[in-house]
Every structure is written in structure tokens, then in C-alpha cells.
Amino acid sequence: MNTVVRKKIGIVLLAAGEASRMGMPKQLLVHQKEPLIRHMAQLLLKFNHPVAVVLGARAALIQPVIADLPIRVIINQEWQLGMGTSVLAGLELFKEMEGILFCVVDQPYLNEKLLQTFLDAFERLTENDHGILASRYENGRLGVPALFSKAWFGALEKVTPEEGARKIIRREQDKLLGIDFPEGLFDLDRPEDWEAFRKK
């Protein structure tokens, strides 16, 4: 009986931001009867790949709600400089992997089917493929979740704190593999976003 050897992928949940426009930590918004960050972490754990959560602002308040989960928690002391610092923190932890999937905590429509599509597509990539998978939103823009093969780790190490991985995705948009996630355009930025989401 042949054993299928899967590629080694690390999954990073970026959740270090202050959520100043929300007026409270969006990580702790209650979604399906539990804090949003716990809901997201449990979703990512379904795929039997190692998961890391990057915290920053109010980490001491947020970490206890995921402390019992089998994940690595990274405290990013430089979170105020921008998301790029959290990308680097996740990259440092998973630099021995063949790929890293980056997700953010404030995309409430993130779902198991989309994540499985990413992982399946990455399994099919060959050394000749471009090595970047990014979500394609309703307006055609590309963004997270995004999966980078090891070939791009060097480029990720050079991203600026302010731009994070967006610069690479923008620059490579004509070559990378886009995966449809129309609802990815919606994120939880302000209280009215949360209210709109809850009413659906």
C-alpha cells in the first residue's frame, strides 16, 4: 500500500493588529458562540498542518482564549510597525517548510472549502510552477489567504513592515495562481462591518 506524502506546509494566522477602528480587539468578537480568533484557529487546525498564530496588540488579553489549542503562539513585539513584521515572524518559525499559507483573523467568510482548495492546488504545483497562490476577490484584487512556496521565502524576508506580502502579490499578479474568494473583500474593520456581518 502506497503512503501519500504530503508537502510540508505551515499555516500562519496573522492577528497582531490593534483594531483601533473597531474600538475593541476584533480577535475577541464572538462568532458562533466563541471568540473569533479561536474560531479561526480551530478552522485552520482541521488540515493537520502545523498552525501558528501571531499576536501583538493586547496579546495578554487574547492569548488565554487559544491557550489550550495545539498551536504555536508568536508574540510580535514590533506589531506597530505593520503586518510585514508578523509575516516575518511566521516565516522564521516555518522556514524549513515547503510552503507557508498566510491567513488573517478578520475575514469572517474564510471557510474550510477555500482552504482545502489552496492546499490541494499547492500539492499539484511542480518546481516549474510560479509558486504563489493568492485569493481573488470580488473586485478582481488579489490578497490573502495567500500561499508561498519555499522559493519565495527569500523575497518574503525582504518585505517592508508596512506592505507585508502585498507588494510581492501585486508584482507577481500576472504569473501567480489566483483562487476565487469573492467574499474575501469583506473584512471586519469597523463596528458597522461587524453589524452587517451578523445580520446576514
Side-chain angles (χ1 to χ4, degrees):
M1 182 174 158
N2 292 328
T3 302
V4 177
V5 179
R6 296 189 306 162
K7 292 178 181 175
K8 295 178 182 176
I9 299 169
I11 303 177
V12 177
L13 181 61
L14 303 170
E18 188 176 21
S20 56
R21 283 177 284 187
M22 182 62 72
M24 68 163 288
K26 64 179 77 173
Q27 300 94 327
L28 298 179
L29 293 169
V30 178
H31 177 51
Q32 295 182 2
K33 299 183 180 179
E34 60 188 2
L36 182 63
I37 192 166
R38 185 177 178 86
H39 171 81
M40 290 294 192
Q42 290 181 128
L43 172 64
L44 299 180
L45 283 167
K46 290 184 176 184
F47 302 95
N48 297 314
H49 288 288
V51 175
V53 176
V54 184
L55 299 179
R58 301 188 182 97
L61 188 64
I62 299 165
Q63 187 172 358
V65 307
I66 53 173
D68 62 315
L69 298 178
I71 57 177
R72 292 285 298 273
V73 175
I74 305 168
I75 307 298
N76 175 15
Q77 305 290 356
E78 300 183 321
W79 63 268
Q80 289 172 297
L81 299 177
M83 192 179 285
T85 60
S86 292
V87 169
L88 287 176
L91 180 64
E92 181 63 26
L93 180 63
F94 288 140
K95 60 185 177 183
E96 302 305 319
M97 295 290 177
E98 294 171 78
I100 300 177
L101 173 62
F102 292 97
C103 303
V104 292
V105 74
D106 60 354
Q107 285 181 315
Y109 290 109
L110 188 63
N111 59 74
E112 189 173 346
K113 182 179 178 182
L114 176 78
L115 292 168
Q116 190 65 61
T117 300
F118 265 91
L119 297 173
D120 290 347
F122 189 71
E123 289 291 339
R124 293 192 294 268
L125 291 184
T126 69
E127 289 184 10
N128 297 322
D129 289 318
H130 196 60
I132 302 176
L133 290 69
S135 298
R136 183 184 290 109
Y137 304 150
E138 191 174 29
N139 63 356
R141 209 175 81 214
L142 295 160
V144 288
L147 205 166
F148 293 84
S149 73
K150 193 176 182 70
W152 290 95
F153 289 1
L156 284 170
E157 285 178 337
K158 299 183 178 78
V159 300
T160 64
E162 304 83 21
E163 289 188 306
R166 285 178 300 183
K167 185 174 183 179
I168 298 175
I169 291 172
R170 259 199 313 268
R171 190 181 69 216
E172 305 296 327
Q173 61 183 333
D174 295 331
K175 300 175 185 174
L176 59 73
L177 177 61
I179 293 179
D180 288 335
F181 180 30
E183 307 93 343
L185 188 62
F186 181 86
D187 58 18
L188 299 171
D189 211 19
R190 301 158 299 169
E192 49 265 44
D193 299 328
W194 178 237
E195 286 304 314
F197 173 67
R198 289 178 66 196
K199 288 175 182 174
K200 290 191 176 180

